[in-house]
Amino acid sequence: MRDGKHRPDFKSEGQCSQCSAEHWRRSNHKIGSSSAVNVGSARMTSVAVASTPPAMSSTPASRDYYWLRSFVAGGVAGCCAKTTIAPLDRVKILLQAQNPHYKHLGVFSTLKAVPKKEGYLGLYKGNGAMMVRIFPYGAIQFMAFENYKKMLNTRLGLTGHIHRLMAGSMAGMTAVICTYPLDMVRARLAFQVTGEHRYTGIANAFHSIYTNEGGFLGFYRGLTPTLIGMAPYAGISFFTFGTLKSLGLQHFPDTLGCPSSDNPDVLVLKTQVNLLCGGVAGAIAQTISYPLDVARRRMQLGAALPDSDKCVSLRKTISYVYNKYGIKNGLYRGLSLNYIRCVPSQAVAFTTYEFMRQLLHLN
């Protein structure tokens, strides 16, 4: 039944539930009719009644804690993705912010220089703060994306490409607002060089920023360029992946797809195809939003930079970087590293999320 000619159509959970409920109603109607004719047959009636609870309770039971399972799936996906590219992420921060110890080096030269100066663990500096941040970030982003899709569809009647683009943008911004202070601390820790530590750890960084940089608002420095950059990045990323996935399953279901392990009536992309689609989505999204990411990082680092007084707003930061360093060595400095890191990062994120959806029975 699953050859090329008889592959089942896509079915949502609701459709599958309706089919089960309709089958139960028809069966129950027949049993009820038989019992009406045979009034004296109480056994058949009791069997019909006894069979009712399992059929009616199976669907709600399978949906228990759906939001929590969705939250966990997104969090695990985010952690796997960021751990994969943690060394590249630290090098990106060092190059973007023109760290005096490495600003004269390129991407691969920096990857070699960091272990020599700080040891191999130096490549993972700030990764602890990253994991604290990325689990809720990934969880909120993926869960919010699913909820925004439903909201845009039910309340505004939006579907198709614009539906994915808007839901992705809104999900990305929601996740950023909720986890931005953690991203701020992580960037400060990753910018430090061994022997010149300004912060002793995550707690000390939080305390220092709160005390010396304006209290609670100090944790949201650079939020504006982050949100402006995240809207197109997350929107295009989810849009590209979702579009590639739907087109692949629609036109090449036998070649690119396979039945979901938790619901055989639902087709999902094969693992290698998931990786490819996620990588393409990440590359396109990062290219468009990269200058805003550079501005965001410089504003986040704030007092850690000698020229922090020139990076107090989005417009001033972009103007300063452009005038002093230009486009290639300023606004797009580290872009080659960004391609190297964003492709595997997004590939692993989307692939892990699709796998966790099957593992946690979200299909």
Side-chain angles (χ1 to χ4, degrees):
M1 290 299 290
R2 293 194 176 94
D3 56 9
K5 297 181 180 179
H6 297 85
R7 183 172 296 282
D9 295 332
F10 298 107
K11 291 183 179 180
S12 63
E13 290 184 11
Q15 289 174 318
C16 294
S17 301
Q18 291 174 357
C19 292
S20 300
E22 182 65 24
H23 176 73
W24 176 84
R25 283 196 296 269
R26 290 177 181 175
S27 300
N28 195 44
H29 176 70
K30 292 179 181 179
I31 294 175
S33 299
S34 299
S35 61
V37 173
N38 303 291
V39 179
S41 181
R43 180 180 298 177
M44 183 176 293
T45 304
S46 63
V47 170
V49 173
S51 65
T52 301
M56 296 299 289
S57 63
S58 60
T59 299
S62 66
R63 293 179 181 175
D64 284 348
Y65 306 109
Y66 181 90
W67 68 269
L68 179 59
R69 288 182 283 129
S70 179
F71 189 88
V72 171
V76 171
C79 288
C80 290
K82 285 298 182 181
T83 300
T84 302
I85 50 93
L88 296 172
D89 217 27
R90 199 208 167 192
V91 170
K92 187 193 79 165
I93 292 177
L94 292 172
L95 294 181
Q96 277 185 337
Q98 309 284 341
N99 186 285
H101 294 276
Y102 304 105
K103 66 179 181 180
H104 60 287
L105 301 175
V107 173
F108 296 105
S109 299
T110 305
L111 279 171
K112 294 179 181 179
V114 170
K116 291 180 181 179
K117 183 175 181 60
E118 306 178 54
Y120 283 101
L121 290 180
L123 292 172
Y124 288 88
K125 184 171 290 184
N127 196 51
M130 171 61 82
M131 291 300 100
V132 174
R133 166 195 172 254
I134 203 61
F135 185 89
Y137 177 86
I140 293 170
Q141 185 180 41
F142 280 103
M143 187 173 67
F145 175 69
E146 299 293 341
N147 289 326
Y148 282 137
K149 276 202 309 182
K150 294 177 183 178
M151 183 190 73
L152 292 172
N153 185 19
T154 56
R155 297 189 179 183
L156 301 180
L158 295 177
T159 57
H161 301 317
I162 188 66
H163 173 242
R164 293 192 193 99
L165 188 64
M166 290 183 63
S169 297
M170 294 165 65
M173 290 189 290
T174 300
V176 165
I177 292 173
C178 293
T179 62
Y180 193 79
L182 292 169
D183 190 37
M184 166 80 78
V185 170
R186 186 259 167 179
R188 295 290 180 92
L189 294 176
F191 187 69
Q192 295 184 132
V193 176
T194 299
E196 300 180 5
H197 282 186
R198 181 171 182 170
Y199 310 106
T200 59
I202 297 175
N204 177 254
F206 268 108
H207 181 266
S208 178
I209 293 172
Y210 181 83
T211 303
N212 303 322
E213 299 185 36
F216 184 74
L217 293 179
F219 292 109
Y220 283 89
R221 180 172 180 171
L223 178 63
T224 300
T226 302
L227 291 177
I228 294 174
M230 180 53 66
Y233 170 72
I236 293 171
S237 183
F238 277 105
F239 161 77
T240 304
F241 179 80
T243 301
L244 291 175
K245 178 182 176 181
S246 62
L247 290 176
L249 293 176
Q250 180 181 352
H251 296 290
F252 307 101
D254 295 317
T255 305
L256 305 181
C258 61
S260 174
S261 61
D262 64 322
N263 186 353
D265 291 333
V266 175
L267 279 180
V268 296
L269 291 176
K270 294 178 180 178
T271 301
Q272 63 271 27
V273 182
N274 258 326
L275 289 168
L276 178 62
C277 293
V280 171
I284 294 174
Q286 286 281 357
T287 301
I288 294 174
S289 61
Y290 192 75
L292 292 169
D293 191 42
V294 172
R296 171 177 71 100
R297 285 300 183 195
R298 294 188 71 89
M299 292 181 69
Q300 277 184 334
L301 294 171
L305 294 175
D307 52 2
S308 60
D309 58 312
K310 297 180 175 63
C311 301
V312 295
S313 69
L314 175 60
R315 183 183 64 81
K316 289 182 177 180
T317 302
I318 292 179
S319 177
Y320 169 72
V321 173
Y322 172 75
N323 291 329
K324 184 169 183 177
Y325 302 106
I327 295 178
K328 181 180 178 181
N329 294 321
L331 295 177
Y332 278 94
R333 179 171 174 80
L335 181 60
S336 59
L337 172 63
N338 207 47
Y339 283 131
I340 295 172
R341 62 177 285 280
C342 77
V343 171
S345 174
Q346 288 299 91
V348 171
F350 279 114
T351 302
T352 304
Y353 180 69
E354 293 291 316
F355 170 76
M356 292 299 296
R357 282 183 61 85
Q358 297 180 61
L359 186 66
L360 298 177
H361 300 277
L362 294 174
N363 287 325

